[in-house]
Amino acid sequence: MTYIIVTGSETVVGKPVASFDAALKKAARLFGDSTQDWLKLNLRIEENR
């Protein structure tokens, strides 16, 4: 299973990654680790289907 980083209304950021942990680290590297910023961007990590 792979995971993707999604912002706004279904905008996929980058390529799928192999694990949730890797996706979380990549999202933090790209967008910082502020919960407030993630909420403003509607940033989330989803399973790639």
Side-chain angles (χ1 to χ4, degrees), residues 6-11 41-42 44:
V6 182
T7 62
S9 59
E10 306 305 317
T11 302
L41 292 169
N42 193 19
R44 58 206 181 277

Side-chain angles (χ1 to χ4, degrees), residues 9-46:
S9 59
E10 306 305 317
T11 302
V12 176
V13 178
K15 297 180 181 179
V17 293
S19 69
F20 183 86
D21 186 51
L24 185 61
K25 288 178 183 175
K26 183 176 180 180
R29 188 174 66 250
L30 294 172
F31 298 100
D33 58 358
S34 168
T35 306
Q36 294 296 324
D37 291 342
W38 283 37
L39 290 172
K40 288 177 189 174
L41 292 169
N42 193 19
L43 187 106
R44 58 206 181 277
I45 298 171
E46 298 180 355

Side-chain angles (χ1 to χ4, degrees), residues 1-6 12 14-18 45-49:
M1 182 178 314
T2 59
Y3 294 87
I4 55 176
I5 302 166
V6 182
V12 176
K15 297 180 181 179
V17 293
I45 298 171
E46 298 180 355
E47 291 179 2
N48 188 23
R49 296 178 189 218

